[in-house]
Amino acid sequence: MEEKLDAIDRKILAELTENARIPVAELARKVGLSKTPVALRIRHLEEIGLITGYRAILSPMKLGLTNVTYLEVSMNDTREHALQQFNAAVRAIPEVEECYMIAGGCDYLLKVRSRDMNHFRQILADKISSLPHISNTSSHVSMEAVVEQNFNLG
C-alpha cells in the first residue's frame, strides 16, 4: 500500500536523507514544527516501514575499492528453488554491492566492488563462478561514476 505523504513528511524525509544524524530540534526548525510533532512523524514513518533504518555510508574509494564492475549473470535453471539458492549464495559475497533479478538478456545484474581488475578476476573465479545454477557471465567495467546517490524524494 502506497502511503500518502504531506509536504511536511516529504521535507522531513528529504532532510533525513541528506543527514540522518540531524538533531530533532534542528529538523523541527527546518520544517516549521516543534520537536514533539516532528519526533512523532519520524516514529510514524519508521512504524509504517517508509524509513527502514539509519546507517553510516562508507567511501568505497577511501577503502581502496576503486574498481566497479557490472556483471550480467545468466542461469541454467530459473525454477524458484534454483533462484532461491542463487539469491542466498550471492548475498554471502561481500564484494557484491548490489544484485538485481532482471528481465532481458540475462537473469541477474550484479554490481561488484574490488581493488582492481586482478582482484575482480579473483572474485569472479573464486566466488561468483561457483554460485549455483550459473550458465555464463558477462562483465562491464565502469570507467567513471557519473551519478551515484541515495534515493531522494526531491
Side-chain angles (χ1 to χ4, degrees), residues 81-115:
H81 181 68
L83 298 176
Q84 288 177 9
Q85 287 179 326
F86 176 85
N87 293 350
V90 77
R91 286 183 188 113
I93 301 174
E95 294 88 355
V96 175
E97 185 174 332
E98 298 176 21
C99 175
Y100 299 97
M101 180 187 292
I102 63 172
C106 63
D107 299 302
Y108 286 91
L109 183 64
L110 282 59
K111 180 180 180 183
V112 180
R113 287 238 183 225
S114 58
R115 292 185 301 276

Side-chain angles (χ1 to χ4, degrees), residues 108-154:
Y108 286 91
L109 183 64
L110 282 59
K111 180 180 180 183
V112 180
R113 287 238 183 225
S114 58
R115 292 185 301 276
D116 52 36
M117 283 308 297
N118 284 334
H119 184 218
F120 171 74
R121 189 182 61 74
Q122 181 183 13
I123 295 164
L124 181 62
D126 296 344
K127 298 179 180 183
I128 295 172
S129 293
S130 65
L131 290 171
H133 310 290
I134 290 181
S135 63
N136 66 335
T137 63
S138 179
S139 302
H140 305 274
V141 178
S142 171
M143 295 190 308
E144 177 184 359
V146 178
V147 176
E148 198 172 51
Q149 63 189 9
N150 187 16
F151 179 74
N152 190 330
L153 289 176

Side-chain angles (χ1 to χ4, degrees), residues 58-70:
L58 305 178
S59 167
M61 300 305 242
K62 297 281 186 180
L63 292 170
L65 301 172
T66 58
N67 188 63
V68 174
T69 304
Y70 290 91

Side-chain angles (χ1 to χ4, degrees), residues 1 6 35 105:
M1 174 171 69
D6 65 15
K35 288 179 5 180

